[in-house]
Amino acid sequence: MLARHAESLFWAGRHIERAESTARLLDVTYHTHLEAMAGSETASWHDLLKILHVDLAFSESERILKADVVSEFLVFDPSNPGTIRSNVTQARENLRAVRELISTEMWEAVNAFHLRLSARDLSDDVRGEPHELYAMVRTQCQALAGVASETMPRDECWNFLSLGWMLERSVMTLRLLLVRYSQLVSAGATGGFHHWVSTLKSASGSEAFRRRYRASMDPADVVAFLLMARDFPRSVLFGLQAAEKALSWIDGTSSPNTRPQRLLGRLRADVEFLDVRELLSGDLSVYLDMVEHDIRQVAESIETTYFRSTDETALHVLDPTMVWR
Amino acid sequence: MRFDIRYRLAFEYRNVVRHSQNELRACPLTDDHQMLLSYRVASSPMARVHGFTDYWGTRVDAYGIREPHVAVEIVAESAVETRQRPLTVASPSMAQLADPEFTDIHAEFLAPTRHTERGERTVACAAEIRARGEIDVVSLVLDIHRRVHRSVTYESGSTDIGVTPDDVLRGGRGVCQDYAHLAVALCRELGVPARYVSGYFFAADDATGAAVVGDSAEVQTHAWFEAAIPGAGWLALDPTNALAVGERHVAIGRGRDYDDVPPIRGVYAGAAAATLDAGVEMRLLSTASSSPDQPLPLHQQVQQQQ
Amino acid sequence: MEGLFTDYDTGGFFDEAHDDDGSARSHYQALIAQVGGFPPAELDRREKLRDEAFRTAGITFTVYGETEGVERTFPMDLVPRLIPADEWKTVEAGLAQRVTVLNRFLDDLYNGERAAVRDGIVPWWLIASSDGFCREAAGIPVPHGARCLVAGVDIVRDGNGDYCVLEDNLRNPSGISYVLENRQAMTRVLPKVFANHRVRPVDHYGLSLLHALQSVAPPSASDDPTVVVLTPGVFNSAYFEHAFLARQMGVELVEGRDLVVDDHTVAMRTTQGMKRVDVIYRRIDDDFLDPVVFRPDSTLGVPGLMAAARAQTVTIANAVGNGVADDKAVYAYVPDLIRYYTGEEPILPNIETYLLWEPEQRAHVLDRLDQLVIKPVAEAGGYGVVIGPKATDAELAECRAQIEADPRNYIAQEVVQLSRHPTLVDDHMEGRHIDLRPFVLCGDKVEVIPGGLTRVALTKGSLIVNSSQGGGSKDTWVLAPEDA
């Protein structure tokens, strides 16, 4: 398929996933405070910005670290390129560029989502009762996943879409873990029950976790669950495995393996065969940092391997006056 | 006369350029007055050149470079023999310019173009020439030729590609392209079909003005014009040098204006501004010419003249 | 007459479905009997079906704004236009004759000795001053001389019902997607009516187009040449058709940035590396194709494409420079060109046309300005057309001034009383003016697609059928011969 189309699908997946993660994280952070169960409010809003990698952009904009300000910044603020709104818009733009390759249902779903979001007064939502907005975004993103899964053939299109989607998911869960864990360590706390519940909720994983571990709230279990549960669709490992599957479909039986395949394979194996207790005896954040770095490497190598040539810079015209004399 | 001509264009970019596509027009043409003996073009980084003859009969070398580069050098080397041109003896009357067959054939060389737009000043200048009441076309064209030479002072770098004949008349300064465009515009305004010629001019003179064998000269590409004389072909004049075009002129191509025969044209990808070092080295090999009745062209150039 | 056709009035025009005395023409009898009997509620239901069919197929013009795309459908009237087999046979032969000659003329101009000019059939100045004459295309050969690979020739029927050619579209004629989609919709909306007629199919168009495109692949291409459709992108108003055609042919729909010229060959960037392209069915105008040769500011094209075409590693279809032959001034010479190249009489005549640069014809036209249609020669889509009988005095005065200032830029034609066709208006039928744009494919052979796009001026009394100016369309049923 055309490199440009593959790139659009890859990014469509990433943007949808990012919109959903942002909504989920906002919802959890908001309600944790509503229930007054967490410690410092400003700290957890700051965490949220860090997870989404926009803490610097936020502080540079000299905004106040308050619930509604951060929420606005993450939902629709035009100065933030990573808002829910802009992620949905970009997902739609990317899918429009491949309109001919995706199912009509998929296109209609993303278009309807975009229209619904555009029709809302987001500022009102954020200041009023934001849960409904976040729930809508999550539902719509999950609906997109469902529509894609039910209507798209498992061809190259599907696999590039899925590749971006799953890699982004791994990154988001990883950053959730990284920031929550660091915060815990820096606060010198042992990790209160609510802290880990909200972390799991942020990954839509509290129910699944409870079913497996019952009453346990051992940090090691939480870390193991979010990092390497094979059967939990939001674990880092699950995302990596799904991405690896997509990549191997894309490359067919080509040998030797491509660079993205090698990088991703090594990373997946490393995460898959971790010893969490051993990890926790050391500095978990160092390890998480490394995994994040590796995922970014994978994404970069995908860019250069499959889309490389689409980033050609603008054309210039030779200045004819140079031979005018 | 025989010349060796080496036209070199060296581009330097401020940054890496990944892709460039260009067209070079540097090859002398073959016609009744000159004959191309050899030609080759090479680029560094290397590129396969696709050579073809364009609509106007000019040889074009198209080439693209797709490897990252920061500089390109193009060298076009030719050997050419030129001939003395016979004096124009015809003196067709002005009325013959209006002959429908004549205007139909020369339609392309009568209409204004981007570089030969006829503004107020150009029209006024043409009116003054007309008022002198020349009765034959050759005298009229020679009038235009002299008038252009007098009206413009040569000054390298004084004009840019967008200037109109009116601008040149107003400023009174210009380069060879400006002389040629102004002359072409005046001819057309007065109903004489005229075309723009791009070429090389051997300008190395000793004190007597003679060309000496073995001399070589560092020059630039040159431009002049030709006017259609009813019943007598094209009269070629070089208003920059106030000369009739002769053995020291080597034509590359002819067109309606500069845009039809630019020496180089192209685009490149990369965030980089380019500088160009361009130069022509002409060496006079011999002042002899084969006699006019010897067989002429080595290869048949497509004559596009209608 | 019964039902929907009660009180149907031909209004003194040539009516496709009715004789002058108001009785149904024989090939329309079945249709009128069937459709005429629908109760209004039934029609309403079928109209909804049609809209549903279009919506599902996504047949829309999309006007993309800053925030949201506004999607409009191209309205299709439910009453199909019927063309009997023998009539079509003549039209088909006339189209094939005309397009074959236009191809020869173009090849003669760009890659031949310009015999038609040399022999005085067309004046040289007319060619030389035509905006469509593209000197950059000179000397680039096209296999089989198939410069108009897809041609759309607009034809109309005059007051006597005679077919004649209104204009040629040889650059990027659009509309074929509506022909195919209209047919699809009609088989769903009026299945019984459709089944009752022996209608010649059109759904092979994608295959025929692909075959024609592959047949003009350069000699160096493989046995299975790679074809792509080159579009300006999603923001182009005809993007739907570009995508539609790529899908019908099963080939890639590319934009300029997907293509690269390397060593005078064209390749597209794919996830598996560069893939050589042999034939480009481009839906981008000449001016934007290659910034080296044409507009340097064009970002839609491919730098180096023209040199590659010249090196004969790729074929551009339709060929560059076809605009010179669909210039409305050159149009006037097409009958002479047909006689010149083939020695035959034109099967389909032109509309009586006056050349405004000829002083006598100009004087005649300026005398009768209010009775004629004045057209700028280089415009398409009905823009700039002045219809004398409908123009105000001010419009006529302006038109007169324009003609006097630049006579080369205008032609004048007699007003043609376009034929009318029964068209559904609310709950009954009324006559509306129609034309026809058939499509002709020329690769290694000439193929005329049965029927074409019948455009209908939905506004009462209007003669303008263009989609951009309130036109609709009809499915066009060419009936199979009785013995076939």
Side-chain angles (χ1 to χ4, degrees):
Chain A
M1 74 188 300
L2 289 177
R4 174 171 56 83
H5 289 156
E7 189 172 15
S8 289
L9 286 157
F10 180 79
W11 280 101
R14 294 194 70 162
H15 285 301
I16 297 167
E17 179 62 24
R18 200 160 172 102
E20 187 191 347
S21 294
T22 307
R24 196 152 14 79
L25 289 163
L26 272 166
D27 202 17
V28 171
T29 310
Y30 182 81
H31 284 94
T32 312
H33 291 296
L34 220 56
E35 291 158 20
M37 289 171 184
S40 153
E41 176 168 354
T42 51
S44 57
W45 285 109
H46 186 71
D47 282 355
L48 178 52
L49 292 167
K50 266 178 87 174
I51 292 171
L52 294 167
H53 246 314
V54 290
D55 47 332
L56 279 179
F58 185 85
S59 59
E60 274 166 18
S61 69
E62 292 180 358
R63 286 176 170 74
I64 312 155
L65 200 60
K66 272 175 51 190
D68 52 350
V69 179
V70 175
S71 303
E72 275 183 12
F73 186 73
L74 293 176
V75 173
F76 64 86
D77 192 323
S79 72
N80 174 13
T83 58
I84 291 178
R85 172 185 271 173
S86 78
N87 273 301
V88 173
T89 303
Q90 290 179 70
R92 175 180 179 268
E93 287 304 305
N94 277 297
L95 288 175
R96 185 163 82 185
V98 290
R99 172 66 189 87
E100 297 312 312
L101 302 176
I102 58 173
S103 61
T104 298
E105 290 89 338
M106 181 70 184
W107 165 246
E108 286 179 349
V110 75
N111 200 32
F113 180 17
H114 176 255
L115 291 177
R116 280 184 67 177
L117 203 60
S118 309
R120 295 180 75 117
D121 183 340
L122 295 176
S123 157
D124 231 38
D125 283 332
V126 167
R127 285 165 195 283
E129 169 46 64
H131 172 71
E132 197 263 321
L133 170 70
Y134 302 144
M136 187 277 265
V137 172
R138 283 164 57 184
T139 314
Q140 291 286 327
C141 289
Q142 285 160 8
L144 279 178
V147 169
S149 163
E150 291 301 306
T151 60
M152 285 178 64
R154 298 311 194 252
D155 57 6
E156 209 176 354
C157 292
W158 163 265
N159 281 294
F160 271 107
L161 180 69
S162 168
L163 182 60
W165 206 313
M166 290 300 139
L167 273 188
E168 185 66 28
R169 179 170 296 177
S170 298
V171 173
M172 293 308 292
T173 304
L174 192 80
R175 288 202 60 81
L176 169 70
L177 205 48
L178 181 62
V179 173
R180 286 306 190 124
Y181 184 78
S182 313
Q183 193 222 1
L184 212 60
V185 171
S186 62
T190 51
F193 179 78
H194 292 300
H195 181 84
W196 288 113
V197 168
S198 76
T199 303
L200 284 166
K201 273 190 179 166
S202 299
S204 289
S206 67
E207 291 153 12
F209 180 84
R210 199 63 54 73
R211 272 198 301 280
R212 172 167 312 170
Y213 295 96
R214 303 295 166 195
S216 157
M217 208 35 94
D218 182 342
D221 289 341
V222 177
V223 170
F225 182 73
L226 289 180
L227 202 52
M228 51 190 292
R230 284 169 189 283
D231 49 4
F232 176 57
R234 297 199 168 269
S235 77
V236 174
L237 179 63
F238 190 95
L240 293 178
Q241 281 174 326
E244 197 182 6
K245 202 175 140 208
L247 254 189
S248 66
W249 191 99
I250 288 163
D251 279 320
T253 51
S254 83
S255 71
N257 291 332
T258 58
R259 181 173 151 80
Q261 268 185 309
R262 286 197 306 274
L263 289 177
L264 185 54
R266 285 207 299 257
L267 176 60
R268 187 264 311 144
D270 201 81
V271 174
E272 188 171 6
F273 301 111
L274 268 181
D275 180 336
V276 173
R277 304 228 171 248
E278 187 184 290
L279 198 62
L280 283 177
S281 66
D283 189 348
L284 176 67
S285 64
V286 171
Y287 179 76
L288 296 178
D289 264 341
M290 187 202 83
V291 175
E292 189 191 354
H293 172 263
D294 285 358
I295 297 179
R296 292 193 191 281
Q297 287 279 100
V298 171
E300 269 169 37
S301 72
I302 287 169
E303 295 268 329
T304 50
T305 306
Y306 302 105
F307 321 140
R308 58 193 170 282
S309 37
T310 55
D311 64 343
E312 207 145 86
T313 35
L315 282 179
H316 298 269
V317 182
L318 271 185
D319 181 0
T321 59
M322 293 191 298
V323 288
W324 183 271
R325 49 185 95 192
Chain B
M1 289 180 173
R2 277 191 180 210
F3 296 100
D4 266 354
I5 303 170
R6 186 171 188 275
Y7 183 34
R8 176 178 169 275
L9 290 162
F11 293 94
E12 264 187 49
Y13 305 100
R14 218 176 287 151
N15 251 312
V16 175
V17 166
R18 303 191 177 280
H19 180 197
S20 75
Q21 291 284 348
N22 307 281
E23 280 185 0
L24 177 75
R25 284 172 172 80
C27 177
L29 51 80
T30 290
D31 64 7
D32 290 349
H33 313 295
Q34 66 181 47
M35 179 166 63
L36 180 66
L37 303 171
S38 72
Y39 178 69
R40 62 181 210 132
V41 56
S43 80
S44 160
M46 279 233 293
R48 202 174 63 179
V49 173
H50 180 70
F52 64 91
T53 304
D54 73 6
Y55 173 83
W56 302 104
T58 312
R59 150 93 181 208
V60 182
D61 296 299
Y63 61 94
I65 297 169
R66 276 205 68 80
E67 62 184 274
H69 57 281
V70 290
V72 186
E73 187 187 58
I74 307 291
V75 177
E77 291 175 307
S78 50
V80 68
E81 184 176 306
T82 60
R83 291 212 180 119
Q84 199 80 50
R85 296 183 184 221
L87 290 172
T88 303
V89 287
S91 60
S93 71
M94 297 292 285
Q96 285 176 261
L97 289 173
D99 173 37
E101 202 178 318
F102 182 77
T103 56
D104 181 40
I105 286 173
H106 295 106
E108 289 175 307
F109 301 113
L110 283 164
T113 60
R114 177 160 86 112
H115 297 294
T116 63
E117 224 171 82
R118 277 115 66 172
E120 220 171 87
R121 277 170 193 266
T122 313
V123 171
C125 181
E128 282 173 36
I129 295 170
R130 188 185 289 116
R132 293 168 56 109
E134 295 293 355
I135 48 161
D136 75 288
V137 180
V138 173
S139 307
L140 180 81
V141 171
L142 287 171
D143 255 10
I144 293 169
H145 168 67
R146 284 189 291 263
R147 178 69 173 242
V148 169
H149 182 73
R150 277 205 314 274
S151 308
V152 187
T153 306
Y154 186 89
E155 192 180 320
S156 181
S158 59
T159 59
D160 220 335
I161 195 147
V163 300
T164 62
D166 259 33
D167 295 335
V168 172
L169 277 174
R170 190 178 304 113
R173 293 174 306 163
V175 297
C176 57
Q177 287 93 339
D178 301 313
Y179 286 85
H181 282 143
L182 176 58
V184 167
L186 288 170
C187 284
R188 291 179 187 168
E189 177 64 21
L190 291 162
V192 182
R195 61 194 186 188
Y196 174 98
V197 188
S198 160
Y200 304 110
F201 175 63
F202 185 69
D205 289 350
D206 65 8
T208 64
V212 176
V213 172
D215 269 5
S216 80
E218 290 288 339
V219 296
Q220 291 297 337
T221 49
H222 190 46
W224 55 92
F225 81 105
E226 294 179 346
I229 310 300
W234 295 89
L235 176 61
L237 297 164
D238 176 355
T240 310
N241 295 310
L243 285 174
V245 168
E247 282 182 296
R248 292 191 290 156
H249 290 82
V250 177
I252 294 170
R254 309 179 171 110
R256 291 163 300 180
D257 71 8
Y258 173 87
D259 286 346
D260 287 335
V261 279
I264 184 84
R265 176 156 72 191
V267 298
Y268 58 93
T275 60
L276 169 66
D277 178 24
V280 183
E281 191 188 321
M282 281 179 91
R283 181 181 297 274
L284 178 62
L285 295 182
S286 150
T287 51
S289 287
S290 43
S291 72
D293 46 57
Q294 266 186 317
L296 242 178
L298 267 184
H299 27 246
Q300 192 67 41
Q301 290 272 346
V302 179
Q303 280 293 319
Q304 294 291 345
Q305 186 194 333
Q306 282 302 313
Chain C
M1 210 157 291
E2 293 300 308
L4 298 169
F5 286 89
T6 310
D7 299 331
Y8 183 81
D9 181 9
T10 59
F13 292 96
F14 182 88
D15 193 273
E16 294 282 342
H18 299 88
D19 285 334
D20 289 347
D21 64 10
S23 58
R25 295 182 193 276
S26 60
H27 59 284
Y28 269 94
Q29 278 165 0
L31 181 78
I32 288 173
Q34 242 176 327
V35 176
F38 287 148
E42 179 61 16
L43 269 180
D44 199 47
R45 191 180 72 82
R46 289 182 197 250
E47 279 196 327
K48 288 208 172 75
L49 259 175
R50 169 200 65 189
D51 294 342
E52 176 62 23
F54 276 163
R55 209 189 57 80
T56 339
I59 312 168
T60 48
F61 287 117
T62 308
V63 188
Y64 288 108
E66 271 299 301
T67 49
E68 189 33 40
V70 184
E71 303 199 339
R72 293 190 295 128
T73 53
F74 186 33
M76 179 190 75
D77 181 62
L78 284 183
V79 191
R81 181 226 193 122
L82 272 48
I83 302 179
D86 54 334
E87 249 174 43
W88 179 251
K89 211 173 147 191
T90 310
V91 172
E92 189 175 33
L95 291 169
Q97 179 194 49
R98 189 172 179 103
V99 176
T100 303
V101 162
L102 289 167
N103 265 323
R104 284 183 65 175
F105 174 56
L106 284 166
D107 217 43
D108 188 18
L109 275 185
Y110 286 118
N111 203 36
E113 47 184 356
R114 294 192 206 139
V117 173
R118 181 197 60 207
D119 293 340
I121 310 302
V122 185
W124 170 244
W125 70 264
L126 194 78
I127 304 297
S129 65
S130 166
D131 286 342
F133 183 51
C134 179
R135 291 161 178 85
E136 291 79 1
I140 302 181
V142 175
H144 312 296
R147 290 181 178 269
C148 314
L149 194 118
V150 182
V153 181
D154 292 349
I155 58 182
V156 296
R157 298 182 81 178
D158 62 15
N160 301 319
D162 293 329
Y163 287 94
C164 45
V165 175
L166 189 64
E167 65 182 51
D168 304 292
N169 297 278
L170 310 177
R171 286 166 284 181
N172 273 320
S174 62
I176 187 68
S177 56
Y178 300 110
V179 174
L180 304 193
E181 294 287 6
N182 281 355
R183 177 60 53 83
Q184 272 256 303
M186 283 303 275
T187 57
R188 287 185 211 168
V189 178
L190 296 173
K192 288 198 176 135
V193 180
F194 184 78
N196 240 355
H197 293 79
R198 304 180 62 216
V199 181
R200 291 183 58 188
V202 294
D203 55 7
H204 58 287
Y205 182 80
L207 277 179
S208 290
L209 177 60
L210 181 61
H211 174 86
L213 287 165
Q214 289 190 325
S215 79
V216 297
S220 58
S222 72
D223 290 341
D224 184 19
T226 302
V227 173
V228 297
V229 176
L230 175 60
T231 173
V234 290
F235 295 99
N236 187 275
S237 63
Y239 180 78
F240 161 72
E241 177 156 305
H242 309 160
F244 177 87
L245 291 173
R247 207 163 50 222
Q248 290 279 320
M249 291 192 284
V251 304
E252 289 289 356
L253 176 67
V254 304
E255 295 180 17
R257 56 194 160 131
D258 297 320
L259 299 180
V260 172
V261 176
D262 192 5
D263 211 10
H264 307 298
T265 61
V266 181
M268 61 178 151
R269 311 170 203 264
T270 76
T271 52
Q272 309 300 322
M274 294 294 179
K275 181 164 191 230
R276 168 128 180 222
V277 171
D278 302 304
V279 182
I280 300 175
Y281 180 45
R282 51 84 178 225
R283 298 294 296 259
I284 294 183
D285 292 345
D286 288 359
D287 259 6
F288 294 89
L289 273 180
D290 179 352
V292 178
V293 175
F294 301 111
R295 288 177 60 148
D297 57 341
S298 167
T299 53
L300 302 174
V302 187
L305 180 59
M306 290 299 283
R310 214 172 259 288
Q312 293 183 60
T313 63
V314 69
T315 304
I316 301 170
N318 285 355
V320 178
N322 285 0
V324 69
D326 66 14
D327 183 309
K328 291 186 180 66
V330 174
Y331 159 90
Y333 294 89
V334 174
D336 286 340
L337 288 170
I338 292 174
R339 292 181 194 102
Y340 174 73
Y341 285 110
T342 67
E344 301 165 2
E345 274 303 301
I347 299 167
L348 292 173
N350 268 9
I351 289 166
E352 184 78 48
T353 301
Y354 304 100
L355 308 173
L356 297 183
W357 50 91
E358 299 282 355
E360 277 174 30
Q361 296 188 31
R362 181 165 67 240
H364 173 81
V365 167
L366 291 175
D367 273 354
R368 300 179 49 221
L369 209 52
D370 57 344
Q371 301 160 26
L372 298 168
V373 179
I374 314 297
K375 295 178 173 177
V377 294
E379 298 286 341
Y383 290 102
V385 173
V386 175
I387 296 172
K390 309 221 158 166
T392 64
D393 286 350
E395 283 165 347
L396 286 177
E398 194 195 332
C399 180
R400 179 182 301 271
Q402 281 170 344
I403 292 171
E404 281 167 346
D406 187 6
R408 163 66 181 88
N409 200 27
Y410 298 89
I411 55 156
Q413 290 177 334
E414 295 291 345
V415 175
V416 178
Q417 290 305 338
L418 302 188
S419 63
R420 297 206 314 186
H421 194 288
T423 301
L424 189 62
V425 178
D426 302 327
D427 60 351
H428 64 286
M429 296 294 170
E430 282 183 25
R432 288 290 183 267
H433 292 292
I434 59 167
D435 77 351
L436 179 64
R437 173 178 289 183
F439 291 86
V440 184
L441 291 175
C442 302
D444 51 358
K445 59 181 196 297
V446 177
E447 182 182 354
V448 183
I449 306 305
L453 184 65
T454 292
R455 297 182 298 181
V456 48
L458 293 174
T459 314
K460 188 167 196 163
S462 169
L463 290 171
I464 305 262
V465 296
N466 301 82
S467 56
S468 47
Q469 300 189 30
S473 68
K474 283 174 171 293
D475 193 13
T476 311
W477 294 359
V478 171
L479 303 175
E482 292 299 330
D483 49 10

